Amino acid sequence: MADLEIRNVSVKYKKLTAVSDISFVANSGEIIGFIGADGAGKSSLMHAIAGIIRLSGEIQYRGYTYKSPQESEKIKSQISFMPQGIGLVLYGTLSVSEHLDFFADIRDIKKDTKFLEYKKRLLHMSGLTDFTNRLAQNLSGGMMQKLSLICALLHRPKLLILDEPTTGVDPLSRLELWDILDDIRQKEGTIILVSTAYMQEAAKMDRILLFDEGEIIAQGTNKELLESVRNFTYAKMDKPPDDTISFDKKTYSLKSLSIQHKEPNLEALFFVNALKKNKTLPAIKIQERQSQEKIPQIVMRAEGITKRFGSFVANDHINITLKSGEILGLLGANGAGKTTFIKMLLGLYSIDEGKLMLLDKAIKNSNDRINLKSKIGYVSQHFALYNDLSVRENLMYFANMHKIPIDAALNRIKKYSYELGFDEYMDKFPKELPLGVNQRFSIAAALLHEPVVLFLDEPTSGVDTLARAQFWQILHKLKTKWGISILITTHYMSEAEYCDRVVLLKLGKKIVDDSVENLYKLHPNAKSFEDIFLTYFKGER
Amino acid sequence: MKLNVIKAYMKKEFKELYRTKLIIMVYLMPSMILILFGFGIRMDVSHARVQIIDNDKSKISQMLSSKFEHTKYFNATISNISENSALKKIKQAKTDAVIIIPSSFEKNLLKGAKSEIGVFVDAAFPTRGTTIETYIQGTILSLVQEISKEKGLSQKGTILINNRNLFNQAMRDEDAIVPGLIGLVLLVAPAILTALLIVKEKEKGTIFNFYASSISKGEFLLAKLLPVFILHSLNIFILFLWAVYLFDVPFRGSFFLYWIASELYILISLSFGLLVSVIAKKQIVAVVLTIMVTIIPGFLYSGIIMPISSMDGASQIEAHMFSVMYYNHIIYDTFLIGQGFSSTKILFYLAILLFYFFTLFTAGKFLLKKEMR
């Protein structure tokens, strides 16, 4: 009998079924990875196993069976659960050592020498030994996650459940988190269930469960899973047939194609699954823009831009230029200063220091921006949509804001809804729609006034692989058809591949600014962008 | 019951209250409410502005005018303006009342004939208007009594009222209002604070620490309740000092009764706050809900505005539903009457307060779920 057995578990929220009829087993010392789109049921299953949500079916842990949160109380002393969200379980006004004391006390741990030694080891592993007096609110995102993790490990749990512990954390901290997990698993024999949005991480797990629409659609080791899609992965075709999906220099097809195969990665699972379900990415067609704009060579030039919040420097003398018809990726972990920078470009934050030129115009005060508003499109981190308005009403509202004549507005809305593939959702409310659809229609809202430059703040966060692939197609089409310049921020280092040029921010400072090809030339050994950036983060320490 | 766990949570709560500076609210708000309302609410009238038009200019009419001049209740001005311009003054809110003494006032009075004095009162605020009216009548009557005594006119028919006010001899507003305010303050302030405590963790996400560990519901609630209880206990003494030394309210009863009843009352308020915190999902909802459910009964049914015994029907029943009525009965007793534990009603009311605490705390424990909803 396995140490952990999940039998036919389903989780329902009122009418919505989050997870249906899932079964799997896990043994001591195993790391099980959960991957899948947002809303695929990973978190709900984790909540069920952690005993904090009602479920049907049963879970057996080392011979003890539980079917409800009440029944799971008995084994909660052996479980640890870390929910999704950076620093979610931390108290901002408590210091690192106070957190460790608090979590030790609520777990009723005897503070003997054995515990103190263990605590010291955890602190050392997490690299927080020198920060024991720092308040949690002053820690960086990566430190917060490491602190949350060691707090969860204090009582030596035998079952560790981690919901996206690494999302938004810088690449080096992510590596360190994984080192801790690997160490704990070997020394303590812990079962670790961990979900992740990064496919590179999934490759490190002993077994991977792939979730889709509340079900596990594939499971196995990294190798097994890659093997299962190898036959469907081809080099990119120029004119792929209809029932295929092409993305990132690869074409996926269930039928055999006459071109050579290519080495798949885990993302291929999602594309192949979509093909099996007869879903292909709707073709994105972008027409020429209606109005003709003369676009200057340099769309945006920021020189020594600085933003301070009290004593905290969010942006430290940053120089960035954006050329016409270029996709510039602004990369960095949470809290690196990406959003602050974009907000300064838009005039949402005042600029404390430095010069800013937008479309050949020096920006000194808000009056300088008024005429530029019609040339800039912006999509914010959380899609500034009105939840009480339908998609159509939202778009009409944005059209009115930009004073677009009503017939032109209606025409454009109709056109974009077909081109970007959300026409079937026009009368739905944003809340009822998947994140990917909301993302596409947010783009449409930002394009209504046919801007010449587009600022996108983390548009791909939490959006599943397929929607992300589609999203990048839209951006590339826009670039070629409209000659538009795009500045996009993201914490997915792998998305750097799809940009023309990338700027990497770390703690408010620019540490890389180069074209994608150049970076690959500079780092011939790197397999992916993740590796390239890692060298910069390591070099900085 | 794991004491270690409760202690750890309490320690954390204390640190958070201190570092988020909520502690200022704990000690500022109650004293502020007491002082603002204690000085602000006035039921009786003094220094009402009275405009006297003396058309008689006799000895008696001057006696009457001087009676109005020599009392703390009125600020009288005597002038020879026309009736119309005097009424205009009321309209402009430059005077509260106008008294017009007719020309043959003395003559008629001594003859024993009917004599009419014109009195106009600004009754925009009915209670204030009625009070001024009564004072004016009283002043005039006392003059009439004096004159009849002096002139030996029909002395037999006059009734003399010999009244004595019990418990608040001086009829001071402070004595009547400040103890009631303590009942209001100790209901509102602790409840608002605890109402935030759980819902704050829900909003932030730290509630997962409770969900995912083996702390029991009772332990969790106690750990939330006790720190605020300890902090607010000090307010019982602070408010007492304000009442006795700043507002000069007499204290005639047992201090022990005051203390024990107040502690019990705070526990009720805290448990109510926790109950709100268990139900609410957002901090703002918790605060608004708590304020609505505490301030309104705290005012209406505290006996500040109107004694419960003179309420009728629905309001009488509603008053009995809220804990503030029982507590205020005990508080007024300790300050003004002093029956103490010898009164069975007070013992009964203490038992009712205990019952309230027990019920609210149990309800909170019952509704608190250790799972996501």
Side-chain angles (χ1 to χ4, degrees), chain A residues 387-431:
Chain A
N387 282 331
D388 304 323
L389 298 180
S390 69
V391 172
R392 189 188 306 277
E393 287 162 342
N394 259 301
L395 291 173
M396 271 319 282
Y397 174 78
F398 287 110
N400 284 337
M401 267 201 336
H402 288 295
K403 298 184 185 134
I404 302 169
I406 190 113
D407 50 336
L410 283 170
N411 264 332
R412 279 186 200 167
I413 290 172
K414 204 169 167 190
K415 197 178 80 185
Y416 291 152
S417 71
Y418 282 108
E419 287 178 358
L420 304 185
F422 60 86
D423 54 297
E424 52 189 311
Y425 305 114
M426 286 302 271
D427 293 308
K428 291 248 164 65
F429 293 101
K431 258 194 202 160

Side-chain angles (χ1 to χ4, degrees), chain A residues 433-469:
Chain A
L433 300 173
L435 221 51
V437 176
N438 274 336
Q439 177 204 41
R440 288 206 294 274
F441 106 75
S442 299
I443 294 272
L447 292 176
L448 279 172
H449 57 296
E450 303 200 320
V452 297
V453 54
L454 202 53
F455 295 144
L456 306 167
D457 194 4
E458 299 240 350
T460 52
S461 271
V463 179
D464 61 78
T465 314
L466 275 159
R468 255 158 65 194

Side-chain angles (χ1 to χ4, degrees), chain B residues 38-52:
Chain B
F39 283 122
I41 302 182
R42 279 292 172 270
M43 297 297 177
D44 70 348
V45 178
S46 61
H47 306 292
R49 294 159 303 170
V50 174
Q51 176 75 49
I52 299 172

Side-chain angles (χ1 to χ4, degrees), chain B residues 332-352:
Chain B
Y332 278 112
D333 178 84
T334 56
F335 273 98
L336 302 179
I337 304 165
Q339 275 182 298
F341 289 107
S342 61
S343 154
T344 47
K345 197 170 183 184
I346 284 177
L347 291 177
F348 177 57
Y349 278 7
L350 275 177
I352 290 180

